[in-house]
C-alpha cells in the first residue's frame, strides 16, 4: 500500500473546497442549450405587458437564449388576458396560464412553476423592478454550478422609508424565529434549477410563502446585488394591510415561536402573580395593612384580558391555517392554458 494517497483526506477538505467540488459536479450536468422559463404572475397589468415584452425580448434574443415566457393571469378584471392572448398568437414563445379567479400572487407563482417547461425557471414581476438585464448574470452563475441565484436589493429608493424600515424588521424577526433563514432584501426574483423546482412542486401546503419555500429547499445558492428601479408602468397591488398580512403568513408558515413565546409570557405572569399574592398576604399578617387597591386590580384585569385575547389570536392564526390545510382544496384552478392562439387542457 503506498505511503500517501494522491488526494487529500476528508479532514483536510475545507468548506470552500467542498463547495467547489459540488459546483464542478453540477456543471457537468448542465445542458449546453437550456430552456429558460420566465414565470410572470399578472393581475390587472394591461398597461405593463407591452413595456415588459419590449424590454425583455430583445435581451433574450441578443443573448441567444432558448426561452419561454409563462404569464399567469391571476383573475385580472381589465384587458390583461385579451392583450396577452393577442401577443401569444403572434409569438409562440409566450404562454398564458389563465386562472379561474384571483387566487393571490403566491398561488399564481405556484401555477407558473407547475406549468413551466424550462431547465431553469426565473420568477419575476412584470413592472420591470426586477431588471431583465440580470438574467444573463443569473444564467452565468447557474453555469458555474449554482442551483439557485437570487437578486439582492442593495438600494430601494422607490420604496417609502416606512416600507424599507418595516421590511428590515420583518427579515430580522423572521430569521430570529424560523430555522429557515431568508437573505435580507431578497424577493421572488431569482433563477431556480429544475432539480430544485421538482422539489418545490412536491410541497403540498395551501398557505404558501414562496420566499420561505425557495429557502427551505436548500441547494447551493448565490446572491447577485442590484438596485431596484422604479415601476415601468402600472401601480403596485400591495398596500400596507396586504403587506402586513403577508408578513404574518410568512412567520406563521415557518415558525412555531409565537406559540412558544406565549407559554413563557404566561409563566412569567404567573410567577409575578404568585409573588405579589405572597407580598399582599405577608403585609396583611405582619402590618395589618389591607388596602382595597381598586385601581391596581382593574389594571391587572385589563392587562390579563388583553394578553388572553392576544394569545387566542395567535392560536387562531395557526388554527385557521390548519383548517385550510385539512380541507385540501387545490392551491389554484386553471381555466385554460393558451399557446399560439390555441387552448390546451388544464394540467392536472
Amino acid at each position: 500500500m503506498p505511503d500517501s494517497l494522491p488526494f487529500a483526506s476528508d479532514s483536510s477538505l475545507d468548506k470552500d473546497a467542498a463547495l467547489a467540488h459540488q459546483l464542478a459536479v453540477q456543471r457537468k450536468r448542465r445542458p449546453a442549450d437550456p430552456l429558460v422559463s420566465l414565470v410572470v404572475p399578472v393581475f390587472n397589468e394591461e398597461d405593463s405587458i407591452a413595456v415588459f415584452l419590449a424590454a425583455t425580448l430583445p435581451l433574450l434574443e441578443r443573448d441567444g437564449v432558448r426561452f419561454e415566457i409563462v404569464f399567469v393571469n391571476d383573475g385580472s378584471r381589465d384587458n390583461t388576458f385579451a392583450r396577452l392572448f393577442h401577443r401569444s398568437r403572434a409569438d409562440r414563445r409566450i404562454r398564458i396560464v389563465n386562472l379561474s379567479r384571483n387566487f393571490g400572487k403566491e398561488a399564481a407563482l405556484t401555477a407558473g412553476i407547475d406549468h413551466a417547461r424550462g431547465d431553469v425557471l426565473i420568477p419575476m414581476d412584470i413592472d420591470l423592478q426586477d431588471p431583465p438585464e440580470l438574467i444573463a448574470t443569473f444564467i452565468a452563475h447557474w453555469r458555474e454550478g449554482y442551483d439557485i441565484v437570487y437578486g439582492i436589493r442593495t438600494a430601494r429608493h422607490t420604496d417609502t422609508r416606512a416600507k424599507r424600515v418595516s421590511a428590515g424588521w420583518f427579515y430580522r424577526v423572521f430569521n430570529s424565529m424560523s430555522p429557515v433563514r431568508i437573505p435580507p432584501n431578497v424577493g421572488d426574483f431569482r433563477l431556480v434549477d429544475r432539480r430544485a423546482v421538482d422539489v418545490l412542486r412536491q410541497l403540498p401546503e395551501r398557505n404558501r410563502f414562496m420566499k420561505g419555500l425557495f429557502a427551505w429547499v436548500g441547494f447551493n445558492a448565490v446572491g447577485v446585488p442590484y438596485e431596484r428601479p422604479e415601476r415601468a408602468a402600472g401601480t403596485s397591488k400591495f398596500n400596507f394591510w396586504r403587506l402586513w398580512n403577508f408578513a404574518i403568513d410568512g412567520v406563521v408558515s415557518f415558525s412555531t415561536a409565537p406559540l412558544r413565546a406565549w407559554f413563557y409570557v404566561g409563566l412569567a405572569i404567573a410567577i409575578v402573580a404568585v409573588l405579589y399574592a405572597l407580598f399582599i398576604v405577608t403585609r396583611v399578617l405582619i402590618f395589618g395593612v389591607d388596602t382595597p387597591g381598586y385601581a391596581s386590580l382593574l389594571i391587572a384585569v385589563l392587562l390579563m384580558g388583553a394578553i388572553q385575547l392576544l394569545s387566542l389570536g395567535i392560536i387562531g392564526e395557526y388554527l385557521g391555517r390548519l383548517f385550510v390545510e385539512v380541507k385540501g382544496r387545490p392551491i389554484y384552478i386553471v381555466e385554460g392554458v393558451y399557446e399560439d392562439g390555441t387552448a390546451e387542457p388544464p394540467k392536472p
Side-chain angles (χ1 to χ4, degrees), residues 109-241:
L109 187 55
T110 301
I113 291 173
D114 288 343
H115 287 81
R117 302 166 177 163
D119 301 295
V120 295
L121 273 65
I122 302 179
M124 60 189 303
D125 293 337
I126 197 173
D127 55 17
L128 295 181
Q129 287 192 294
D130 298 336
E133 295 81 5
L134 285 183
I135 293 176
T137 305
F138 283 3
I139 295 175
H141 283 295
W142 174 77
R143 292 191 183 280
E144 294 173 2
Y146 290 99
D147 296 294
I148 296 178
V149 186
Y150 52 83
I152 304 174
R153 303 162 182 169
T154 58
R156 305 177 62 167
H157 303 301
T158 59
D159 295 337
T160 63
R161 177 175 174 80
K163 187 175 181 179
R164 292 196 300 267
V165 171
S166 60
W169 275 105
F170 166 75
Y171 286 110
R172 293 189 188 96
V173 171
F174 183 94
N175 288 331
S176 66
M177 290 184 176
S178 173
V180 178
R181 295 188 60 83
I182 298 179
N185 293 314
V186 172
D188 295 324
F189 183 40
R190 65 189 69 211
L191 178 148
V192 186
D193 183 72
R194 170 53 63 178
R195 69 170 183 157
V197 170
D198 290 340
V199 175
L200 278 171
R201 294 183 61 186
Q202 297 176 23
L203 304 181
E205 58 253 49
R206 272 71 183 165
N207 293 289
R208 302 180 76 81
F209 180 64
M210 295 305 297
K211 294 182 184 66
L213 294 181
F214 284 131
W216 183 88
V217 300
F219 296 110
N220 292 319
V222 64
V224 176
Y226 72 97
E227 291 191 8
R228 188 169 171 83
E230 295 183 0
R231 287 183 63 101
T235 58
S236 175
K237 307 305 183 294
F238 279 88
N239 53 30
F240 177 80
W241 181 246

Side-chain angles (χ1 to χ4, degrees), residues 37-53:
S37 295
L38 304 187
V39 178
V40 188
V42 290
F43 175 66
N44 294 342
E45 295 283 2
E46 59 179 350
D47 296 329
S48 302
I49 296 170
V51 178
F52 174 81
L53 291 176

Side-chain angles (χ1 to χ4, degrees), residues 111 114-115 201 330 332-334 337 344-348:
D114 288 343
H115 287 81
R201 294 183 61 186
Y332 57 86
I333 299 175
V334 177
V337 180
E344 301 175 358
K347 192 172 183 177

Side-chain angles (χ1 to χ4, degrees), residues 265-331:
V265 170
L267 180 62
I269 292 176
I271 293 173
V272 171
V274 170
L275 293 177
Y276 186 67
L278 292 175
F279 169 75
I280 295 296
V281 171
T282 302
R283 189 173 63 171
V284 172
L285 292 177
I286 297 178
F287 302 103
V289 178
D290 186 14
T291 306
Y294 174 77
S296 59
L297 179 62
L298 179 61
I299 292 173
V301 170
L302 292 176
L303 176 62
M304 289 302 302
I307 291 175
Q308 289 173 353
L309 290 175
L310 184 58
S311 60
L312 285 175
I314 293 176
I315 295 173
E317 289 289 339
Y318 285 91
L319 185 60
R321 282 155 180 77
L322 181 62
F323 174 69
V324 171
E325 296 294 339
V326 167
K327 287 190 293 187
R329 292 175 181 171
I331 302 171

